[in-house]
Amino acid sequence: KDWFASTFPLAYDSWCLALASEGYSPEDYFPFPMHPFQQTYLAEKFSVYLENKLIVEVKDVSIPSQATMSTRTVMPLKAGSPHIKLPLNIQTTSMRRTHSPPRVHAGPILSRLISEILEEDESLASLVRVMPEPLGMYIDDSDYYLQSQNPSYFLNILYRTNPCTLVSDNEYYLPLSALFEVSPFTHKPFILDILAARQANSEMALEYFQAYAWTVIRGQVGLYAGYGIALEAHQQNTALIMDEEGNLLRTLVGDLAGGVEIYEAILNMNGYSIREELHPVHKHLFSEGETPEQQILHTTFHYHLWPMAFIFSEEFGLEVGELMKMMRKMVERTIHHYVN
């Protein structure tokens, strides 16, 4: 509650006044923001809670926000405020996407773990960083396995550090997905505008790709090879921190609770353990490496480096096979660095 009051003071004061005006004490409750689309859940899923005053719906109190690329993650308009991820359970593919209690529980734990690792491993921290999730909340989830009946799937919240606060004045923040968007100037992927600005030929493009891929692989694969942690670093979750000339300095990855997968044996070998702190479901821990490695293959390569390789190949006449060999050697070097 103190964290919310200091982070969103206007909303907190309005919330306290609204509760008091209805005859309730703010000391007896916690502020729990909801997405506007969630309001239809309230009467349906929480009738007993409402009847017993375990939940009190407060009217006319809000945190002015706007949408991000993720439907259920909103960005408060106040500069520097943390982003808010809410349980707007939607189905746009074959599977319903939910925001589960074990993941909300894990957000602050994973944030602390990775932050500690990067503080110790400065060379890795120079190449990859994360957007910490300092606080998560969910209501009683004693019936967790009865997902369709469990209200905790419909009322939880996770706060994520605003990525703009993690960028220095002389650095530039760019969502990864922007590189692959069609430029309004050249009608080609935007990454080619960056190369065009420096009048790059095929040799310069190869050098750029090599430096870019090395930063991504050495950071993201390095975090896994060294500590067993695989980030979900696809285009929606990842930002690029660049210098003014468009050179990649490091990647900045979010959605830790939603996507981190850990090969527990490697993590433990390095003196870290979070099993006892996590939700009993232990969603993020794996006894083998196949699942986390598939995560890296899917996000870092399928949805990032390989599409870029094909763009460079088509524009500059570079051989895709040679670019793939180059990246494979980078992966081998990264693994050998930590194994040896």
Side-chain angles (χ1 to χ4, degrees):
K1 190 183 295 185
D2 291 340
W3 181 90
F4 185 91
S6 61
T7 305
F8 302 106
L10 294 179
Y12 180 76
D13 289 344
S14 297
W15 175 78
C16 289
L17 289 172
L19 274 179
S21 69
E22 296 292 330
Y24 301 105
S25 170
E27 295 299 318
D28 296 333
Y29 295 92
F30 289 92
F32 216 122
M34 296 181 66
H35 195 287
F37 292 167
Q38 281 179 265
Q39 289 181 321
T40 56
Y41 297 160
L42 201 61
E44 175 189 352
K45 300 290 184 181
F46 301 98
S47 58
V48 174
Y49 291 80
L50 290 166
E51 290 171 6
N52 293 319
K53 306 304 180 184
L54 297 174
I55 293 176
V56 174
E57 186 176 9
V58 177
K59 305 288 188 180
D60 302 322
V61 177
S62 64
I63 301 173
S65 305
Q66 62 187 23
T68 64
M69 281 188 287
S70 169
T71 305
R72 56 189 171 183
T73 300
V74 298
M75 177 173 61
L77 298 183
K78 181 184 175 183
S81 295
H83 293 185
I84 305 172
K85 186 171 184 178
L86 298 161
L88 189 62
N89 302 325
I90 56 178
Q91 184 165 355
T92 57
T93 62
S94 60
M95 181 178 67
R96 179 191 293 182
R97 298 294 301 275
T98 63
H99 199 209
S100 68
R103 294 194 181 280
V104 174
H105 186 103
I109 298 168
L110 294 170
S111 299
R112 191 202 68 245
L113 169 69
I114 298 174
S115 296
E116 287 180 1
I117 288 172
L118 295 179
E119 286 178 8
E120 293 293 325
D121 194 330
E122 294 181 1
S123 64
L124 189 60
S126 69
L127 299 169
V128 61
R129 294 184 191 172
V130 296
M131 305 173 202
E133 297 164 345
L135 181 66
M137 293 175 60
Y138 56 93
I139 65 170
D140 174 38
D141 72 331
S142 55
D143 294 324
Y144 170 75
Y145 291 100
L146 301 174
Q147 180 174 332
S148 62
Q149 303 173 34
N150 182 355
S152 61
Y153 271 85
F154 299 90
L155 191 57
N156 59 62
I157 190 167
L158 189 64
Y159 296 95
R160 180 180 303 146
T161 301
N162 189 314
C164 294
T165 64
L166 305 174
V167 182
S168 301
D169 291 339
N170 60 342
E171 298 174 338
Y172 293 83
Y173 172 95
L174 183 71
L176 171 57
S177 58
L179 287 191
F180 303 100
E181 286 295 317
V182 175
S183 164
F185 306 107
T186 62
H187 305 291
K188 295 180 178 181
F190 177 65
I191 178 61
L192 296 178
D193 283 18
I194 295 175
L195 275 295
R198 58 180 70 189
Q199 300 180 325
N201 54 27
S202 59
E203 182 178 350
M204 296 169 65
L206 179 61
E207 292 176 356
Y208 183 92
F209 183 87
Q210 184 174 20
Y212 182 101
W214 175 243
T215 299
V216 174
I217 291 172
R218 180 66 179 80
Q220 295 178 13
V221 177
L223 187 59
Y224 177 70
Y227 305 95
I229 299 174
L231 302 173
E232 191 183 22
H234 56 53
Q235 292 183 31
Q236 181 175 298
N237 289 350
T238 306
L240 308 173
I241 307 303
M242 295 180 156
D243 65 18
E244 62 182 7
E245 295 182 352
N247 298 306
L248 180 62
L249 302 176
R250 63 185 177 276
T251 54
L252 180 61
V253 184
D255 205 9
L256 305 184
V260 164
E261 294 176 344
I262 301 175
Y263 187 179
E264 191 175 12
I266 299 179
L267 183 71
N268 295 162
M269 284 171 57
N270 286 275
Y272 297 95
S273 176
I274 58 172
R275 173 171 286 274
E276 297 303 317
E277 300 177 71
L278 291 176
H279 190 282
V281 175
H282 298 130
K283 251 185 191 311
H284 299 82
L285 299 178
F286 295 85
S287 60
E288 39 72 35
E290 181 178 358
T291 301
E293 287 159 18
Q294 287 293 324
Q295 165 94 295
I296 293 174
L297 184 65
H298 171 69
T299 61
T300 300
F301 291 96
H302 282 175
Y303 284 95
H304 188 173
L305 293 178
W306 290 351
M308 184 173 290
F310 280 99
I311 291 171
F312 275 59
S313 174
E314 182 175 339
E315 182 71 14
F316 297 102
L318 304 176
E319 291 290 334
V320 171
E322 292 303 311
L323 296 179
M324 298 298 176
K325 288 180 183 178
M326 177 190 297
M327 288 188 281
R328 184 176 66 188
K329 290 180 180 178
M330 292 177 183
V331 171
E332 291 173 351
R333 285 174 59 192
T334 300
I335 293 172
H336 289 162
H337 171 80
Y338 283 99
V339 170
N340 296 329

